[in-house]
Each structure stands twice: as structure tokens, then as C-alpha cells.
Amino acid sequence: MGERAYHFDPAAHEAELVPLLGALQALEGAHPQDGARLRRRHPRAGGGFFTASQLLAAYRALAPRHGWGRPPEEMARLLRARPVRSGSGVAVVAVLTRPHPCPGQCCFCPRLDAMPTSYLPEEPGAQRAVQQGFDPARQVAIRLAALAANGHPVDKVELSILGGSWDAYPSGYRRWFVERCLATLNRWNPGSPPPDRDPEADGEAGWEEVDAARRANATAPCRCVGLTVETRPDLVTAEGLEPLRRLGVTRVQLGYQSLDDTILARSGRGHTVAASRRATELLRRAGFKVLAHWMPNLPGATPESDRADFARLFADLGLRPDDLKIYPCVLLPGTPLEEEWRRGQWRPYTPGELLDLLADCLAAVPPYCRVARVVRDVPAPAVLAGNRRSNLRQEVEHLLARQGRPPRDIRARELRQRPVEPGEVAVISLRYPTSAGGEEFVQALTPEGHLVGFARLTLPRRPAPLAELEGAALLREVHVYGVAATLRRRDGTAQHRGVGRRLVERAAELARQGGFERLAVISAPGTTEYYRKLGFADGALYQHLELAPARGRCPGGHRDPQG
């Protein structure tokens, strides 16, 4: 954790640190693996090793005295712990809301009085929330400090608000939670301690405070470039779209869990597949990204029925989510599922059954979807029955590699830390239909097929759910990959090579050819300045780009990437 660096005195360990830091800063063309090898050769006196955060703090403190000329940013990349934390272009900060009742009665969900529904105190993110009394400001500050101490740039942050069904919380609490998060981003700096804990951690705020925090974040040194909340499909309404946008939300996680009404009913979900379709279409028509949750091995399911269920995720035009989390059902103590298990009415899939099922699922994901998770981060000791392997995704990918059928989803093709030459990047579009209209998945690809970035463009064919969007094409996402580059540097990474501009220009051209005179983008609080520079004008909830009339129209129809 980053907190260890706060209390670390480099001067007290200088004799041990100088040989290691000197060797590290002298490495040329080094990879983080080289740094890890050097660290293992220089253990601490008394046992153990210096952490990345301690080494970075020591380098900053000792470099002037010892004449080390390597920029701290390069040392950070060399020492960066788990580069995947910012390898998708932004640093993700997850925070949990306080415990609150959920309208569902899911048989697999733990319900602890001191925790949000479905969360366990042993989960890493939940542990941080409990330690900070669910105070959003302290959660954000502690997480930023940990990321920065380990060498991750934190001036571009994707804020992920977890903790259950967002729309079930009181509206005043929702406004207060977001305002506290944004205000912390606005004033955070590496040298400042976390804010004092709110004694209530359960406040209320008006729209004026939220609007002020959003405006300030547009030019803050630590900007929110994406804001995600999670909720149930049956809680998504047309009336709730405007508050989501006013808070700055850009992505919504939806708990589909299953696409079989019988299994949903047996699991106690309290909603139908039709509710998932309605919520997905409504959110897509308002420009939101949709991240779906899907659970194999629910009561009543079999590996064969789960394969058919998964296929419906992308065959059904009312679904086709942008992102996906796969959470195999596991047995947690104190849940209604425990009784079914003891009566022999439910059993977890065997390791082989689960591995084969997940391999078939991952191989079937289309190129426009990103599989964010293949297993939930539940500590093994908390699982009574079911999967306890935290590296399950790695096992699935290894199996697919042996079978010669690599996954095609976004995450499998991301550029990550590979170098890229802008002139070699090709921008192409993949078209597919949904119930909301035509989708254009605009991709920036290297000659080897690595994904440098992408944009999601929706060409609606139904009336807009919000008046501001009437007649507009929707730019729902622009994302450029590579390790997160800071806002003030141009270091050759894909994020600062004009790839984003090319994607936006291609999306605008496709919208123009589709007969639209305006392109609306669902910007986050921290991306408004970027889109202003591209010619977008601020609206009440979105930003808009006027399009010149096209000379011709795109041919009708959309090629289905599933077929």
C-alpha cells in the first residue's frame, strides 16, 4: 500500500539503498522485470525487500545528492508494480458506498449488516472502504496515494463507484458521494495527507455542490475521465437518465446474471430478461456504456445451458454489452444458497467443467466487447464451495492458446506497453446492429493487430430519451491504450500521438455519412477540455459537434460480427 511510503525515511536506509538505486538508474532500455531482478539481489537488512513505493520515495530524496540524472518518471516505469493498474490508459480508483438495503433477494448474495449487499469485508476494495468508514473522500485519497507511490500516473482517473444498486440509495446521498469524490480529485496532491474522516460518512448534497465540483474537475490536476456506477436492470428508468448525466456518469454496470427467466426466478433476482433488455437499450440511447455482469453455475443451470445462455448475450440485439464481467457462482457463508447446497439441490461445477465452459465463453466474445473480469476477487478462505483460484483467467487463456483459438475481445488485443509508430496505425470500423440503432466500433490497429484505441459510435433509429440528444449521433466512448501518460507530457505513448483525434474525426465522418447533422459525446468531468479543443461545444448534459452535410450516405445495413 502507498501508506508505507508515508512513514519511510530514506536517510535511515541510505547505505542499503544507494547501491540498489544506483544500479537501477544505470539500466538502459530496461523492462520492469529487470528492475525486479535487481531488487531481489539487494534485500533489506533483517529480511524482506524494499517496496516500489519506498524505492521511488528514496530515489526522489537521494537523487540530487548522488547525481543521479534519470528522471523520476522513468524510474517509476521501471519499478511500477502491476503495470496493468494503468496499462489501459487510465488509473482506476474504486470506492464503495455505505451499507444500504437492496430490493433483490438473490440466493447467492451475502447480506452483512456492516457491508453493502453482496460484498464481503475480506475483499481488497471492501477492506479499504471499511477502514475509512465508507468515507468517499478518504477512500479516493488513500487509493490515489497508493497508486502514485507505486509509480502510476494519477492525473487521469476512472472513478468506479461500487457497493450495490446505485439507484436504490437516496438521491441526496448519491449527490454527496460523487461531490466528495470529485472534490478530493480536485485538491489532491502527492504530499497532502488524506482528508479528515467525515464523522457521518452519510451526508447529503445539492446539485449546486455537484455542479461546482464537476466544473472544477475539468481543469484539475487530477481529472475524472470516466465515472461508473452499478445497479439492477429493473431500477433503470427514463427519469433517472438526467440525474446520472448531471453527476457525470459515463458507464453503468448492469447485473444481468442470467438470460433465462426461470433461473433468474429461482435465484431470487426479482427481475426478468426483458428488464435487462429495456435497461440496456435505454442506457445506450442516452450514450452510456454498458458493462454487464453474467454468472454461470446459478441454481438450475448446467454447463450446457450456460453455453447457450452466454451465446444469447451477443445474439440478442437488445443486449450486446460493451463490457462484461463473468462471475462464476460460488458458495459464500450465510447465503440462502448454502441451504440448497446442503440439501444437494445445487453443486459447484468441477474445476474441469468450469475451465472448459469459460474457455468456450471467452473465445466467443466479439471484438467490440471487453471482458473486464473472469472471476470475482473473493479471498479463497471465504468460499465454502466453488472456484477458489484467483488466476482462473490466466488458466483459461493458457487453455485457449493450447487449443489454437485466442480470444478476440478488446482486452486480449490491447496495446499495453508495446511501442507504436503513428504512421503505422490504421483506423477501421466494425459495424453491428443493436435494438437502439447501428453501432460503429472504430478501431485504431497496428499492423500486428494490436488495439491502440477505439471509439464507440451509436447511430440511433429511435427517438432520443433526452431532448438534448434529439437528432444527434452518439459518441459513447473514446479510449486510447498504452500505459497512462500524464496530461502535461508527450513521451511517445499512444495517448499523446493524436490517435484519439483520428478516432473522433472518423466517428464524425461516419455520423455525417449516416445523415446526422450533430455528434453528441458523453464526456466525463475531466474530459470536457479535451473535447472543447476538438471543436465540441458544451450543452446541458453532453457536448456537441456540428457536422457539415455529407455528399453521400453510407450504404444501409450493418455487418454482424457474430455471424
Side-chain angles (χ1 to χ4, degrees):
M1 295 294 292
E3 291 173 280
R4 284 180 288 185
Y6 292 155
H7 312 294
F8 179 69
D9 180 10
H13 303 272
E14 188 167 355
E16 298 175 76
L17 287 165
V18 168
L20 172 54
L21 292 174
L24 284 169
Q25 70 93 29
L27 285 173
E28 295 184 6
H31 186 274
Q33 292 178 350
D34 300 316
R37 280 192 288 268
L38 266 179
R39 288 162 64 184
R40 288 194 293 270
R41 294 176 195 160
H42 293 78
R44 292 183 62 164
F49 300 91
F50 291 105
T51 67
S53 60
Q54 290 168 344
L55 290 172
L56 287 172
Y59 186 81
R60 293 186 178 102
L62 301 176
R65 188 187 315 166
H66 292 274
W68 296 328
R70 192 166 195 165
E73 293 82 4
E74 289 187 17
M75 287 292 286
R77 285 196 291 274
L78 181 59
L79 293 168
R80 186 172 287 140
R82 302 191 71 180
V84 71
R85 295 292 186 198
S86 53
S88 290
V90 296
V92 178
V93 173
V95 291
L96 263 72
T97 50
R98 62 164 170 78
H100 188 75
C102 174
Q105 299 294 325
C106 304
C107 68
F108 47 80
C109 269
R111 290 177 175 269
L112 305 177
D113 292 339
M115 296 299 299
T117 301
S118 85
Y119 285 86
L120 295 173
E122 297 88 351
E123 296 178 75
Q127 284 183 345
R128 289 193 295 269
V130 171
Q131 290 166 358
Q132 306 310 321
F134 295 100
D135 184 309
R138 287 185 61 85
Q139 290 184 68
V140 169
I142 292 294
R143 191 63 183 139
L144 288 175
L147 289 166
N150 283 289
H152 298 278
V154 293
D155 51 357
K156 290 184 289 184
V157 167
E158 181 173 330
L159 191 62
S160 183
I161 300 177
L162 310 174
S165 298
W166 176 252
D167 294 288
Y169 284 83
S171 57
Y173 175 81
R174 285 178 268 162
R175 292 192 293 266
W176 171 81
F177 198 95
V178 170
E179 189 276 333
R180 287 277 287 171
C181 290
L182 293 178
T184 305
L185 294 177
N186 293 343
R187 59 175 173 259
W188 186 83
N189 69 73
S192 62
D196 293 335
R197 182 173 298 178
D198 190 320
E200 297 179 3
D202 188 12
E204 187 167 319
W207 283 116
E208 296 80 6
E209 294 97 321
V210 176
D211 292 342
R214 282 192 61 188
R215 287 194 298 269
N217 191 253
T219 54
C222 188
R223 300 182 193 177
C224 175
V225 299
L227 203 166
T228 300
V229 298
E230 60 179 358
T231 194
R232 292 167 53 88
D234 53 330
L235 295 182
V236 175
T237 64
E239 296 74 25
L241 298 176
E242 182 176 348
L244 285 175
R245 275 309 298 143
R246 197 163 175 185
L247 289 171
V249 174
T250 56
R251 174 185 282 110
V252 177
Q253 298 195 47
L254 283 180
Y256 293 177
Q257 315 310 8
S258 174
L259 301 177
D260 184 315
D261 282 338
T262 301
I263 290 177
L264 288 173
R266 180 170 171 181
S267 299
R269 279 295 292 169
H271 69 79
T272 62
V273 178
S276 296
R277 291 194 191 96
R278 284 194 298 270
T280 301
E281 181 180 315
L282 194 57
L283 290 166
R284 183 176 272 128
R285 287 166 54 207
F288 294 96
K289 280 79 71 178
V290 175
L291 192 164
H293 295 188
W294 180 76
M295 296 182 66
N297 203 181
L298 287 172
T302 66
E304 292 72 26
S305 71
D306 275 334
R307 285 180 172 84
D309 200 68
F310 190 85
R312 288 191 284 271
L313 273 173
F314 301 105
D316 191 324
L317 301 192
L319 301 173
R320 296 192 160 183
D322 306 303
D323 304 277
L324 182 65
K325 289 182 178 179
I326 302 175
Y327 289 148
C329 184
V330 296
L331 180 61
L332 301 174
T335 61
L337 185 61
E338 185 175 356
E339 289 303 315
E340 294 194 43
W341 174 61
R342 296 192 185 282
R343 292 195 299 264
Q345 296 173 337
W346 176 84
R347 71 162 182 90
Y349 294 159
T350 67
E353 286 176 327
L354 184 59
L355 189 64
D356 289 343
L357 168 64
L358 293 178
D360 289 343
C361 291
L362 198 56
V365 177
Y368 60 78
C369 181
R370 185 178 193 271
V371 181
R373 280 188 178 273
V374 175
V375 64
R376 184 168 169 176
D377 199 8
V378 177
V383 178
L384 291 179
N387 176 68
R388 294 184 176 90
R389 293 167 291 174
S390 60
N391 67 333
L392 185 57
R393 182 178 197 140
Q394 187 178 29
E395 293 184 29
V396 172
E397 290 173 344
H398 286 169
L399 175 60
L400 288 173
R402 292 195 301 270
Q403 294 174 343
R405 46 176 190 153
R408 303 176 298 156
D409 81 297
I410 290 172
R411 189 179 184 276
R413 300 183 293 125
E414 290 171 0
L415 180 70
R416 299 188 185 275
Q417 300 183 74
R418 300 178 182 92
V420 59
E421 288 297 328
E424 297 179 350
V425 175
V427 176
I428 63 173
S429 180
L430 172 68
R431 302 177 183 179
Y432 63 99
T434 71
S435 61
E439 288 288 322
E440 295 277 359
F441 182 64
V442 185
Q443 307 174 81
L445 298 171
T446 67
E448 298 78 23
H450 298 307
L451 189 64
V452 181
F454 66 87
R456 297 188 190 277
L457 173 69
T458 298
L459 305 176
R461 62 185 181 199
R462 297 189 56 188
L466 294 168
E468 185 178 335
L469 296 179
E470 198 61 54
L474 308 176
L475 186 57
R476 298 191 298 119
E477 184 172 14
V478 178
H479 199 118
V480 179
Y481 286 104
V483 173
T486 66
L487 293 164
R488 294 170 294 281
R489 293 174 59 246
R490 289 182 176 269
D491 59 359
T493 63
Q495 289 188 322
H496 290 288
R497 291 293 189 94
V499 174
R501 178 183 290 272
R502 288 178 62 188
L503 291 168
V504 172
E505 289 174 349
R506 179 59 177 155
E509 180 60 27
L510 290 168
R512 185 182 298 111
Q513 292 176 2
F516 292 86
E517 298 179 354
R518 187 161 46 90
L519 178 63
V521 62
I522 183 166
S523 51
T527 60
T528 53
E529 278 292 299
Y530 173 77
Y531 288 110
R532 287 168 187 158
K533 292 176 182 178
L534 295 183
F536 287 78
D538 295 352
L541 302 172
Y542 301 81
Q543 292 179 280
H544 304 269
L545 180 69
E546 298 298 325
L547 304 175
R551 295 179 180 177
R553 296 280 295 274
C554 286
H558 291 81
R559 179 171 59 85
D560 188 343
Q562 291 299 109

